[in-house]
Amino acid sequence: MSKQVKLKKGFDIRLIGKAEKKVGDYQPVKTFAIKPTDFIGMQRPKVLVKEGDTVKAGTPILIDKKLERVMYVAPVSGEIVEIKRGEKRKLLEIKILADGEINFENFEKFTSSEIKSASKESITDKLTASGVWPQIIQRPYGVVANPDDTPRAIFISGFDSHPLAPDYNFTLKGQSNYFQAGIDVLKKLTKGKVYLGLSSDEKSVELASIEGVETTNFSGPHPSGNVGVQIHHVAPINKGEILWTINPYGVVQIGKLFINGIYDASKLVAISGSEAKNPSYAQTYIGSCVDSYVAGNTKSNNFRVISGNVLTGEKINNDGYLGYYQHQLTIIPEGDYYEFLGWMKPTADKLSFHKALGLMSFLFPKKEYTLDSNVRGEPRAFVQTGVFEKVTPMDIYPVYLLKAIMAEDFDEMEELGIYEVVEEDLALCEFVDVSKHPVQQLIRKGIELIQYS
């Protein structure tokens, strides 16, 4: 019987604009891009192509000199039309003009029995050469895993509890055979277990019958779907240990590689948000340009486009590119205005974790809201106690951890749980923080201090 974990701490940000379970009628995407900035910890990228080169889906276009075995490949076939650089020649994007029909690099196909009999070394070589390896993320630090390591265990969260998150029952429909093959591959990479977290509140049709995993059912508000929270409650990480994580899409992509012998970067992306006229799903590939999903699909001319969700996503231009790990595009109103005494005016139309003067959203627990990007305040000293802990279902003290990071106190950071968290695990703290601290930036600063010390 599956283990049950009920989380009480956390907070669901209920927003208008969840994607309907249908594939929308969007214009075909013409350009795609791989952005080194999507891969946290990549410090020495090396471009393997030049402008004008022709590539196939699966052709290596980039490596990190720290992990030269790991190939970052083209998601589609076509022509390299731009290698975009920023200040000090920092590599920003490698853009590809896609062919009308995708052509693939061919890799060796495996049967189920061949996967189970293959060695860890041969599995690793295939994953790193084909381009799917970057889907595997290491804890601690939240960086692309080192293929030379052997993790204590591998964790997968089978549901997403972020605001307006895509429904995995829809995006993974009909792909359970690929997911099972991906699990069989991952089991070869660890001497421990492969853990799968599922939602107790919504049955997972595609993942419930997967074999070879230890399943835990989680219930409760966000961040119950965060893999870091699930690790904390199932098998916490200790100093000196290494765990790997991967999202369900990455598992499916591994399965397609071994069964079909191709690097398949196709995915369903949720186009969501209160500013989207027709929130739905788009069939596309990794790194797609978002102009096809934004142009003509907004309710006003003053909006913000976010690659990802409103808590952890990245603001991009209207013709920007979807992040490598993102399965969601969110369009919300821009918050470029000043509202005099906004938090004091009696209203039930603003969502707040706090039962503050005038903000009465707590009286309507099921209501959905339209929120914009206005932070409604300015940075100030920490003025509260106990609030961060109410939205963090982990046995850590977020305020003290953040203060230890600010003070660059390495011993305190380690004792207070820096190895257990990445940015998304404390993103809710940033949402409820009346002091307006950049919590996620601080967490990344602390991780880098520990990682490179």
Side-chain angles (χ1 to χ4, degrees), residues 46-95:
K46 178 182 178 181
V47 181
L48 304 179
V49 293
K50 61 183 182 296
E51 292 181 4
D53 284 355
T54 300
V55 296
K56 296 181 180 180
T59 300
I61 61 174
L62 179 71
I63 62 169
D64 183 352
K65 291 182 179 180
K66 292 193 306 179
L67 294 174
E68 292 192 355
R69 290 179 64 190
V70 179
M71 298 293 155
Y72 297 81
V73 303
V76 295
S77 61
E79 179 187 352
I80 304 294
V81 291
E82 183 180 4
I83 299 175
K84 185 177 180 180
R85 297 185 181 273
E87 294 182 1
K88 299 181 180 179
R89 291 190 55 77
K90 179 181 179 180
L91 182 62
L92 301 179
E93 296 172 344
I94 301 176
K95 297 182 182 179

Short mmCIF file of all heavy atoms in Angstrom, two decimals, residues 46-95:
data_model
loop_
_atom_site.label_atom_id
_atom_site.label_comp_id
_atom_site.label_asym_id
_atom_site.label_seq_id
_atom_site.Cartn_x
_atom_site.Cartn_y
_atom_site.Cartn_z
N LYS A 46 30.10 26.11 -24.31
CA LYS A 46 30.86 26.12 -25.56
C LYS A 46 29.91 25.78 -26.70
O LYS A 46 29.28 24.72 -26.70
CB LYS A 46 32.00 25.11 -25.50
CG LYS A 46 32.81 25.04 -26.80
CD LYS A 46 33.90 23.98 -26.70
CE LYS A 46 34.68 23.87 -28.01
NZ LYS A 46 35.74 22.81 -27.93
N VAL A 47 29.82 26.67 -27.69
CA VAL A 47 28.95 26.47 -28.83
C VAL A 47 29.62 25.54 -29.83
O VAL A 47 30.78 25.72 -30.18
CB VAL A 47 28.59 27.81 -29.50
CG1 VAL A 47 27.65 27.59 -30.68
CG2 VAL A 47 27.96 28.77 -28.49
N LEU A 48 28.85 24.53 -30.30
CA LEU A 48 29.39 23.54 -31.23
C LEU A 48 28.97 23.79 -32.67
O LEU A 48 29.36 23.03 -33.56
CB LEU A 48 28.94 22.13 -30.80
CG LEU A 48 29.30 21.71 -29.38
CD1 LEU A 48 28.75 20.31 -29.10
CD2 LEU A 48 30.80 21.76 -29.15
N VAL A 49 28.17 24.82 -32.89
CA VAL A 49 27.68 25.13 -34.24
C VAL A 49 27.96 26.59 -34.55
O VAL A 49 28.36 27.37 -33.68
CB VAL A 49 26.17 24.84 -34.35
CG1 VAL A 49 25.88 23.35 -34.25
CG2 VAL A 49 25.39 25.62 -33.29
N LYS A 50 27.73 26.96 -35.79
CA LYS A 50 27.85 28.36 -36.18
C LYS A 50 26.64 28.76 -37.00
O LYS A 50 25.88 27.90 -37.49
CB LYS A 50 29.14 28.60 -36.97
CG LYS A 50 29.26 27.82 -38.27
CD LYS A 50 30.60 28.08 -38.93
CE LYS A 50 30.74 27.34 -40.26
NZ LYS A 50 30.73 25.88 -40.10
N GLU A 51 26.42 30.05 -37.14
CA GLU A 51 25.27 30.53 -37.90
C GLU A 51 25.33 30.03 -39.34
O GLU A 51 26.37 30.06 -39.97
CB GLU A 51 25.21 32.05 -37.86
CG GLU A 51 24.91 32.61 -36.48
CD GLU A 51 24.83 34.13 -36.46
OE1 GLU A 51 24.94 34.74 -37.54
OE2 GLU A 51 24.67 34.70 -35.36
N GLY A 52 24.19 29.54 -39.81
CA GLY A 52 24.11 28.98 -41.15
C GLY A 52 24.17 27.47 -41.19
O GLY A 52 23.83 26.86 -42.22
N ASP A 53 24.60 26.84 -40.07
CA ASP A 53 24.67 25.38 -40.04
C ASP A 53 23.26 24.78 -40.06
O ASP A 53 22.30 25.37 -39.56
CB ASP A 53 25.38 24.91 -38.77
CG ASP A 53 26.89 25.08 -38.86
OD1 ASP A 53 27.38 25.47 -39.93
OD2 ASP A 53 27.58 24.83 -37.85
N THR A 54 23.17 23.59 -40.62
CA THR A 54 21.92 22.83 -40.63
C THR A 54 22.00 21.73 -39.58
O THR A 54 23.02 21.02 -39.50
CB THR A 54 21.66 22.21 -42.02
OG1 THR A 54 21.55 23.26 -42.98
CG2 THR A 54 20.36 21.42 -42.02
N VAL A 55 20.95 21.59 -38.79
CA VAL A 55 20.95 20.60 -37.71
C VAL A 55 19.68 19.76 -37.79
O VAL A 55 18.68 20.15 -38.38
CB VAL A 55 21.03 21.28 -36.33
CG1 VAL A 55 22.34 22.03 -36.16
CG2 VAL A 55 19.85 22.23 -36.10
N LYS A 56 19.74 18.60 -37.15
CA LYS A 56 18.57 17.75 -36.95
C LYS A 56 18.17 17.79 -35.48
O LYS A 56 18.94 18.25 -34.63
CB LYS A 56 18.89 16.30 -37.35
CG LYS A 56 19.20 16.10 -38.82
CD LYS A 56 19.47 14.63 -39.09
CE LYS A 56 19.78 14.39 -40.56
NZ LYS A 56 20.05 12.94 -40.82
N ALA A 57 16.97 17.34 -35.19
CA ALA A 57 16.56 17.20 -33.79
C ALA A 57 17.45 16.14 -33.15
O ALA A 57 17.44 14.99 -33.56
CB ALA A 57 15.09 16.80 -33.71
N GLY A 58 18.22 16.56 -32.15
CA GLY A 58 19.17 15.66 -31.52
C GLY A 58 20.61 15.94 -31.87
O GLY A 58 21.52 15.30 -31.33
N THR A 59 20.87 16.92 -32.77
CA THR A 59 22.24 17.30 -33.10
C THR A 59 22.84 18.14 -31.97
O THR A 59 22.25 19.13 -31.56
CB THR A 59 22.29 18.12 -34.40
OG1 THR A 59 21.76 17.36 -35.47
CG2 THR A 59 23.72 18.55 -34.72
N PRO A 60 24.02 17.78 -31.43
CA PRO A 60 24.64 18.57 -30.37
C PRO A 60 24.94 19.99 -30.84
O PRO A 60 25.52 20.18 -31.92
CB PRO A 60 25.92 17.81 -30.05
CG PRO A 60 25.65 16.40 -30.50
CD PRO A 60 24.78 16.54 -31.71
N ILE A 61 24.54 20.98 -30.04
CA ILE A 61 24.82 22.37 -30.39
C ILE A 61 25.55 23.11 -29.28
O ILE A 61 26.04 24.21 -29.49
CB ILE A 61 23.52 23.13 -30.73
CG1 ILE A 61 22.56 23.16 -29.54
CG2 ILE A 61 22.84 22.54 -31.95
CD1 ILE A 61 21.32 24.02 -29.76
N LEU A 62 25.64 22.48 -28.11
CA LEU A 62 26.20 23.18 -26.95
C LEU A 62 26.70 22.16 -25.94
O LEU A 62 26.12 21.09 -25.79
CB LEU A 62 25.12 24.06 -26.32
CG LEU A 62 25.45 24.89 -25.07
CD1 LEU A 62 26.39 26.04 -25.44
CD2 LEU A 62 24.17 25.43 -24.44
N ILE A 63 27.79 22.51 -25.25
CA ILE A 63 28.24 21.72 -24.10
C ILE A 63 28.66 22.67 -22.99
O ILE A 63 28.88 23.87 -23.21
CB ILE A 63 29.42 20.78 -24.44
CG1 ILE A 63 30.64 21.59 -24.90
CG2 ILE A 63 29.03 19.73 -25.45
CD1 ILE A 63 31.91 20.76 -25.01
N ASP A 64 28.74 22.13 -21.78
CA ASP A 64 29.32 22.84 -20.65
C ASP A 64 30.70 22.26 -20.43
O ASP A 64 30.85 21.04 -20.27
CB ASP A 64 28.45 22.64 -19.41
CG ASP A 64 28.95 23.43 -18.20
OD1 ASP A 64 30.05 24.02 -18.28
OD2 ASP A 64 28.24 23.46 -17.18
N LYS A 65 31.74 23.08 -20.46
CA LYS A 65 33.10 22.58 -20.35
C LYS A 65 33.35 21.87 -19.03
O LYS A 65 34.31 21.10 -18.92
CB LYS A 65 34.09 23.73 -20.53
CG LYS A 65 34.14 24.29 -21.95
CD LYS A 65 35.18 25.39 -22.07
CE LYS A 65 35.24 25.94 -23.50
NZ LYS A 65 36.24 27.01 -23.64
N LYS A 66 32.49 22.10 -18.03
CA LYS A 66 32.65 21.38 -16.76
C LYS A 66 32.16 19.95 -16.88
O LYS A 66 32.64 19.07 -16.15
CB LYS A 66 31.87 22.09 -15.65
CG LYS A 66 32.40 23.44 -15.24
CD LYS A 66 31.77 23.89 -13.95
CE LYS A 66 30.24 23.87 -14.04
NZ LYS A 66 29.60 24.29 -12.78
N LEU A 67 31.18 19.71 -17.75
CA LEU A 67 30.62 18.37 -17.97
C LEU A 67 30.58 18.11 -19.47
O LEU A 67 29.52 18.13 -20.09
CB LEU A 67 29.21 18.27 -17.37
CG LEU A 67 29.07 18.35 -15.85
CD1 LEU A 67 27.60 18.38 -15.46
CD2 LEU A 67 29.77 17.18 -15.17
N GLU A 68 31.73 17.88 -20.06
CA GLU A 68 31.80 17.80 -21.51
C GLU A 68 31.09 16.57 -22.08
O GLU A 68 30.79 16.53 -23.27
CB GLU A 68 33.26 17.83 -21.96
CG GLU A 68 33.94 19.17 -21.70
CD GLU A 68 35.27 19.28 -22.40
OE1 GLU A 68 35.71 18.28 -23.00
OE2 GLU A 68 35.89 20.37 -22.35
N ARG A 69 30.80 15.59 -21.24
CA ARG A 69 30.08 14.41 -21.72
C ARG A 69 28.62 14.73 -22.04
O ARG A 69 27.98 14.04 -22.85
CB ARG A 69 30.10 13.31 -20.66
CG ARG A 69 31.44 12.65 -20.42
CD ARG A 69 31.32 11.60 -19.34
NE ARG A 69 30.41 10.50 -19.72
CZ ARG A 69 30.00 9.57 -18.88
NH1 ARG A 69 30.38 9.59 -17.62
NH2 ARG A 69 29.19 8.60 -19.30
N VAL A 70 28.08 15.73 -21.39
CA VAL A 70 26.65 16.03 -21.49
C VAL A 70 26.39 16.94 -22.68
O VAL A 70 26.87 18.07 -22.73
CB VAL A 70 26.13 16.70 -20.20
CG1 VAL A 70 24.65 17.03 -20.34
CG2 VAL A 70 26.37 15.79 -19.00
N MET A 71 25.63 16.45 -23.65
CA MET A 71 25.31 17.21 -24.85
C MET A 71 23.98 17.94 -24.68
O MET A 71 23.01 17.38 -24.18
CB MET A 71 25.23 16.28 -26.06
CG MET A 71 26.52 15.57 -26.38
SD MET A 71 27.79 16.74 -26.93
CE MET A 71 29.28 15.84 -26.52
N TYR A 72 23.96 19.20 -25.12
CA TYR A 72 22.73 19.97 -25.21
C TYR A 72 22.42 20.07 -26.70
O TYR A 72 23.23 20.59 -27.47
CB TYR A 72 22.91 21.36 -24.59
CG TYR A 72 23.22 21.30 -23.11
CD1 TYR A 72 24.51 21.03 -22.65
CD2 TYR A 72 22.22 21.49 -22.17
CE1 TYR A 72 24.80 20.97 -21.30
CE2 TYR A 72 22.49 21.44 -20.80
CZ TYR A 72 23.78 21.17 -20.38
OH TYR A 72 24.06 21.10 -19.03
N VAL A 73 21.28 19.57 -27.10
CA VAL A 73 21.03 19.32 -28.52
C VAL A 73 19.89 20.18 -29.05
O VAL A 73 19.12 20.78 -28.30
CB VAL A 73 20.72 17.83 -28.76
CG1 VAL A 73 21.85 16.95 -28.25
CG2 VAL A 73 19.40 17.43 -28.13
N ALA A 74 19.78 20.21 -30.37
CA ALA A 74 18.72 20.96 -31.04
C ALA A 74 17.38 20.26 -30.81
O ALA A 74 17.27 19.05 -31.01
CB ALA A 74 19.01 21.05 -32.53
N PRO A 75 16.35 21.01 -30.41
CA PRO A 75 15.03 20.40 -30.20
C PRO A 75 14.29 20.10 -31.50
O PRO A 75 13.38 19.28 -31.52
CB PRO A 75 14.29 21.45 -29.38
CG PRO A 75 14.93 22.75 -29.76
CD PRO A 75 16.37 22.43 -30.03
N VAL A 76 14.67 20.80 -32.57
CA VAL A 76 14.03 20.63 -33.87
C VAL A 76 15.12 20.64 -34.94
O VAL A 76 16.26 21.00 -34.69
CB VAL A 76 13.01 21.76 -34.17
CG1 VAL A 76 11.84 21.71 -33.20
CG2 VAL A 76 13.71 23.13 -34.14
N SER A 77 14.76 20.24 -36.15
CA SER A 77 15.68 20.34 -37.27
C SER A 77 15.49 21.68 -37.97
O SER A 77 14.40 22.27 -37.95
CB SER A 77 15.44 19.19 -38.26
OG SER A 77 14.13 19.25 -38.79
N GLY A 78 16.54 22.17 -38.57
CA GLY A 78 16.47 23.45 -39.26
C GLY A 78 17.82 24.11 -39.38
O GLY A 78 18.87 23.46 -39.34
N GLU A 79 17.81 25.43 -39.48
CA GLU A 79 19.03 26.22 -39.68
C GLU A 79 19.32 27.07 -38.45
O GLU A 79 18.43 27.69 -37.87
CB GLU A 79 18.87 27.13 -40.89
CG GLU A 79 20.09 28.01 -41.17
CD GLU A 79 19.86 29.01 -42.28
OE1 GLU A 79 18.79 28.93 -42.93
OE2 GLU A 79 20.72 29.89 -42.48
N ILE A 80 20.59 27.09 -38.04
CA ILE A 80 21.02 27.99 -36.97
C ILE A 80 21.03 29.41 -37.53
O ILE A 80 21.85 29.74 -38.39
CB ILE A 80 22.43 27.62 -36.46
CG1 ILE A 80 22.49 26.16 -35.99
CG2 ILE A 80 22.85 28.57 -35.33
CD1 ILE A 80 21.65 25.85 -34.79
N VAL A 81 20.09 30.24 -37.07
CA VAL A 81 19.95 31.58 -37.65
C VAL A 81 20.59 32.66 -36.79
O VAL A 81 20.87 33.76 -37.30
CB VAL A 81 18.47 31.92 -37.90
CG1 VAL A 81 17.90 31.05 -39.02
CG2 VAL A 81 17.64 31.78 -36.64
N GLU A 82 20.82 32.39 -35.51
CA GLU A 82 21.45 33.42 -34.68
C GLU A 82 22.05 32.78 -33.44
O GLU A 82 21.44 31.91 -32.80
CB GLU A 82 20.44 34.49 -34.25
CG GLU A 82 21.07 35.62 -33.44
CD GLU A 82 20.07 36.68 -33.01
OE1 GLU A 82 18.87 36.49 -33.28
OE2 GLU A 82 20.50 37.68 -32.39
N ILE A 83 23.26 33.22 -33.12
CA ILE A 83 23.89 32.89 -31.84
C ILE A 83 23.99 34.22 -31.09
O ILE A 83 24.87 35.04 -31.36
CB ILE A 83 25.27 32.23 -32.03
CG1 ILE A 83 25.11 30.92 -32.80
CG2 ILE A 83 25.93 31.99 -30.68
CD1 ILE A 83 26.42 30.25 -33.15
N LYS A 84 23.06 34.44 -30.19
CA LYS A 84 22.90 35.74 -29.53
C LYS A 84 23.76 35.82 -28.28
O LYS A 84 23.72 34.93 -27.43
CB LYS A 84 21.44 35.97 -29.18
CG LYS A 84 21.14 37.35 -28.61
CD LYS A 84 19.66 37.51 -28.36
CE LYS A 84 19.34 38.89 -27.78
NZ LYS A 84 17.87 39.04 -27.53
N ARG A 85 24.51 36.92 -28.18
CA ARG A 85 25.36 37.15 -27.01
C ARG A 85 25.02 38.49 -26.37
O ARG A 85 24.53 39.40 -27.03
CB ARG A 85 26.84 37.10 -27.39
CG ARG A 85 27.29 35.73 -27.91
CD ARG A 85 28.78 35.67 -28.17
NE ARG A 85 29.21 34.38 -28.69
CZ ARG A 85 29.55 33.35 -27.94
NH1 ARG A 85 29.53 33.48 -26.61
NH2 ARG A 85 29.93 32.21 -28.48
N GLY A 86 25.32 38.59 -25.08
CA GLY A 86 25.07 39.82 -24.34
C GLY A 86 26.37 40.49 -23.93
O GLY A 86 27.39 40.39 -24.63
N GLU A 87 26.34 41.15 -22.77
CA GLU A 87 27.53 41.83 -22.28
C GLU A 87 28.65 40.84 -22.02
O GLU A 87 28.42 39.71 -21.56
CB GLU A 87 27.19 42.60 -21.00
CG GLU A 87 26.21 43.74 -21.20
CD GLU A 87 25.94 44.50 -19.92
OE1 GLU A 87 26.55 44.13 -18.88
OE2 GLU A 87 25.14 45.45 -19.95
N LYS A 88 29.87 41.28 -22.33
CA LYS A 88 31.07 40.45 -22.17
C LYS A 88 30.94 39.13 -22.93
O LYS A 88 31.47 38.11 -22.52
CB LYS A 88 31.35 40.19 -20.69
CG LYS A 88 31.61 41.46 -19.89
CD LYS A 88 31.92 41.14 -18.43
CE LYS A 88 32.18 42.43 -17.64
NZ LYS A 88 32.46 42.14 -16.21
N ARG A 89 30.18 39.19 -24.03
CA ARG A 89 29.99 38.06 -24.92
C ARG A 89 29.33 36.85 -24.23
O ARG A 89 29.52 35.70 -24.62
CB ARG A 89 31.31 37.63 -25.58
CG ARG A 89 31.84 38.66 -26.56
CD ARG A 89 33.01 38.13 -27.36
NE ARG A 89 32.74 36.89 -28.05
CZ ARG A 89 32.03 36.79 -29.17
NH1 ARG A 89 31.48 37.89 -29.70
NH2 ARG A 89 31.84 35.62 -29.75
N LYS A 90 28.56 37.14 -23.20
CA LYS A 90 27.82 36.07 -22.53
C LYS A 90 26.82 35.45 -23.51
O LYS A 90 26.06 36.14 -24.16
CB LYS A 90 27.08 36.61 -21.31
CG LYS A 90 26.28 35.56 -20.57
CD LYS A 90 25.55 36.15 -19.38
CE LYS A 90 24.74 35.07 -18.66
NZ LYS A 90 24.01 35.63 -17.48
N LEU A 91 26.84 34.13 -23.61
CA LEU A 91 25.95 33.43 -24.52
C LEU A 91 24.53 33.44 -23.98
O LEU A 91 24.28 32.98 -22.86
CB LEU A 91 26.42 31.99 -24.72
CG LEU A 91 25.61 31.13 -25.68
CD1 LEU A 91 25.64 31.72 -27.08
CD2 LEU A 91 26.15 29.70 -25.69
N LEU A 92 23.59 33.98 -24.76
CA LEU A 92 22.20 34.10 -24.33
C LEU A 92 21.28 33.10 -25.00
O LEU A 92 20.44 32.49 -24.33
CB LEU A 92 21.69 35.53 -24.60
CG LEU A 92 22.45 36.67 -23.93
CD1 LEU A 92 21.85 38.00 -24.32
CD2 LEU A 92 22.45 36.50 -22.41
N GLU A 93 21.39 32.94 -26.31
CA GLU A 93 20.47 32.08 -27.04
C GLU A 93 21.13 31.50 -28.28
O GLU A 93 21.97 32.17 -28.90
CB GLU A 93 19.21 32.85 -27.48
CG GLU A 93 18.35 33.37 -26.36
CD GLU A 93 17.25 34.28 -26.87
OE1 GLU A 93 17.34 34.74 -28.02
OE2 GLU A 93 16.31 34.56 -26.10
N ILE A 94 20.75 30.30 -28.63
CA ILE A 94 21.07 29.73 -29.94
C ILE A 94 19.74 29.48 -30.63
O ILE A 94 18.95 28.62 -30.20
CB ILE A 94 21.86 28.42 -29.81
CG1 ILE A 94 23.17 28.65 -29.05
CG2 ILE A 94 22.16 27.84 -31.20
CD1 ILE A 94 23.97 27.38 -28.81
N LYS A 95 19.45 30.27 -31.68
CA LYS A 95 18.14 30.22 -32.33
C LYS A 95 18.16 29.35 -33.58
O LYS A 95 19.12 29.37 -34.35
CB LYS A 95 17.70 31.64 -32.72
CG LYS A 95 17.51 32.58 -31.54
CD LYS A 95 17.03 33.95 -32.00
CE LYS A 95 16.90 34.92 -30.84
NZ LYS A 95 16.45 36.26 -31.29
#
